[in-house]
Amino acid sequence: MLLLGIDIGTSSIKVAIVDANTQKTLALAQYPDTESPITSLQLGWAEQSPEMWWEHIQQAIVLCHSKGTYNPGDIAAIGIAYQMHGLVLVDKNQKLLRDSIIWCDSRAVEIGAKAFDAIGHQKCLSHLLNSPGNFTASKLAWVKANEPKIYEQIYKVMLPGDYIGMKLTGDITTSISSLSEGVFFDFVNNEISKDILNYYGFNKAMFPEIRPVFADHGHLLASMANKLGLSPGIPVSYKAGDQPNNALSLNVLNAGEVAATAGTSGVIYGVSDQLTYDPQSRVNTFAHVNYTEQQKSMGVLLCINGTGSLYRWTKNLFGAGESYVQMNDEAKQVPLGSDGLRILPFGNGAERMLNNKLVGVHMQNIDLNLHSRSHIYRAVQEGIACAFRYGLDIMRENKMNPTVIRAGRANLFLSDLFAQSFVNMTGIPVELYQNDGSVGAALGAGIGSKIYASPSDAFKNMHAIQLIEPNGDDVEPIYQEWKCLLERQLLATN
């Protein structure tokens, strides 16, 4: 029996086929080979086409089939992971009304700030666990205010995974986890927030039917099955945002467990059994994949918008023709501290952990007679590690004190230099696993379709491939200098 997992990333789509019995990955495909475009019509805006996601998903599934390592007819369930916080709008004919306003878009920051003040800070934090900020609810309010003709045609408001689920099954569903990441959900009253509906003037009928994350979200249409070479009627039995899904894929389900990732964005995601919130909403709390009204399982999320995106930018600008492996090897030739070069990695939209400020990327102490591109490669990785430390200190203020962090050996964690810098800067050992978001989505489908009796059964064959511990390097002076640079920049940023 096989499971199909789809991961709707910002940079690309990944699809995995997993053997449910052994949890082994039989096929893995990514589409496209180059990174998918983000449309930025104005400074701070970021949009992508959901039709592009759908086309790329179809291509990735075909690529998996072409490997010839399994029988597509044996696929029994589908799971979907997706980039969080995106806004997708369709009319009553399930036709897209506009491109998706995605997670790193900053246009709604002021709208969310006004809602925070109007509803009341304590009311928002205690009920929504977050400021409305520039999350999905505020993006929808932007559409209402600036694109009224589009707003009038809205039949359903969705997140990216809900849209792909609709394309596969014809059904439109969501979950408490998804609604919470859009800051639509009231945890005290266990309902879509009346405060958000009333303040923004939203019609509750625009929101899809709520089902658990691990549940039947519809069955594969015959037309789609024929198109994708699959059997009709396969259930979509799991939908989750990429960071809760990354945590699931690392078997991070219980209070006190913590996951990290450093893809397009950098994230530390810890699980709590309390309705916790940061008074400044610098880190954010959402319902985890296993949240129920009876058993509160919350995901506390720290996000740095520009980690892998900064390293990609660096490669495009300084390392044309080089691979990331070559860049990492060059960076290792530079001494600890990059000979004084410091980089702030904040150039991909408003940073929530910095109170939604648009800080930008900054390089400090450039010496034209000393610093080479290899210094930049190392300073970027050290700067990202410093940003993780800064964010983790905020999480520690909020009583999240991990003793070990789990991460997949992927993206920036493929760099031994970055992984060691992360561990040294945070002071927390990291366990690396051979995991992938699309594999996590496939295993989630197995849980949701009851192929696995419990989540633990889905991970019985998972083992860490490497443990990285602090190696004794004195990185504190580097971090403190970096932190002073950040604080000066924050003072200069309106």
Side-chain angles (χ1 to χ4, degrees), residues 75-134:
I75 294 172
I78 299 172
I80 301 171
Y82 59 88
Q83 49 176 287
M84 298 173 72
H85 316 306
L87 175 69
V88 183
L89 305 172
V90 297
D91 66 14
K92 61 182 180 181
N93 297 314
Q94 299 189 352
K95 181 182 177 181
L96 272 171
L97 294 172
R98 67 176 329 281
D99 280 352
S100 174
I101 303 175
I102 66 171
W103 60 277
C104 55
D105 186 285
S106 304
R107 76 186 71 183
V109 168
E110 289 304 315
I111 291 173
K114 289 178 181 177
F116 197 33
D117 290 339
I119 296 172
H121 291 203
Q122 188 56 36
K123 183 72 176 292
C124 283
L125 293 174
S126 60
H127 285 248
L128 306 173
L129 308 183
N130 302 285
S131 162
N134 63 323

Side-chain angles (χ1 to χ4, degrees), residues 111-388:
I111 291 173
K114 289 178 181 177
F116 197 33
D117 290 339
I119 296 172
H121 291 203
Q122 188 56 36
K123 183 72 176 292
C124 283
L125 293 174
S126 60
H127 285 248
L128 306 173
L129 308 183
N130 302 285
S131 162
N134 63 323
F135 291 110
T136 317
S138 300
K139 292 168 182 171
L140 178 59
W142 183 92
V143 172
K144 183 183 180 189
N146 293 276
E147 298 175 344
K149 291 184 179 179
I150 289 176
Y151 185 84
E152 289 170 2
Q153 299 177 67
I154 295 173
Y155 172 60
K156 292 298 178 186
V157 173
M158 293 180 283
L159 282 92
D162 300 331
Y163 175 77
I164 297 304
M166 180 198 77
K167 294 293 287 185
L168 291 167
T169 69
D171 294 337
I172 304 177
T173 68
T174 193
S175 67
I176 289 174
S177 182
S178 294
L179 290 170
S180 73
E181 72 177 68
V183 191
F184 291 114
F185 196 74
D186 184 327
F187 284 95
V188 174
N189 295 312
N190 199 48
E191 62 182 4
I192 293 175
S193 170
K194 290 187 174 68
D195 292 310
I196 289 291
L197 295 179
N198 293 337
Y199 175 77
Y200 283 138
F202 297 155
N203 185 343
K204 187 178 179 181
M206 291 193 301
F207 297 91
E209 178 186 346
I210 301 172
R211 297 181 186 175
V213 169
F214 301 109
D216 186 339
H217 289 274
H219 294 79
L220 187 63
L221 294 166
S223 58
M224 291 298 109
N226 291 334
K227 197 171 189 178
L228 299 173
L230 300 172
S231 301
I234 298 171
V236 171
S237 51
Y238 171 81
K239 288 191 300 183
D242 53 4
Q243 299 310 324
N245 177 72
N246 181 63
L248 170 75
S249 70
L250 292 163
N251 197 20
V252 170
L253 292 168
N254 301 310
E257 295 175 341
V258 177
T261 184
T264 301
S265 62
V267 168
I268 299 177
Y269 184 99
V271 180
S272 172
D273 56 6
Q274 304 294 316
L275 296 181
T276 183
Y277 58 83
D278 174 56
Q280 298 181 52
S281 209
R282 297 165 298 174
V283 297
N284 304 103
T285 305
F286 310 114
H288 194 25
V289 293
N290 55 345
Y291 173 92
T292 64
E293 186 178 0
Q294 296 74 31
Q295 182 178 345
K296 304 292 191 289
S297 182
M298 313 304 301
V300 181
L301 185 151
L302 159 80
C303 182
I304 306 161
N305 288 357
T307 54
S309 58
L310 172 58
Y311 208 39
R312 179 207 65 213
W313 178 88
T314 303
K315 181 179 186 294
N316 290 344
L317 198 62
F318 300 104
E322 283 195 305
S323 68
Y324 286 116
V325 173
Q326 290 171 314
M327 290 171 63
N328 296 337
D329 287 342
E330 283 190 40
K332 289 178 184 177
Q333 307 309 310
V334 175
L336 176 69
S338 306
D339 285 323
L341 185 62
R342 301 284 176 263
I343 294 180
L344 299 180
F346 301 116
N348 193 27
E351 295 283 355
R352 290 196 296 275
M353 79 170 186
L354 304 179
N355 299 110
N356 283 316
K357 289 191 175 183
L358 283 161
V359 176
V361 170
H362 296 266
M363 296 187 185
Q364 182 83 358
N365 305 328
I366 298 173
D367 185 327
L368 300 178
N369 298 311
L370 173 62
H371 293 133
S372 65
R373 69 179 187 180
S374 300
H375 286 85
I376 293 173
Y377 297 163
R378 178 162 192 139
V380 165
Q381 296 192 41
E382 290 181 339
I384 293 169
C386 286
F388 271 109

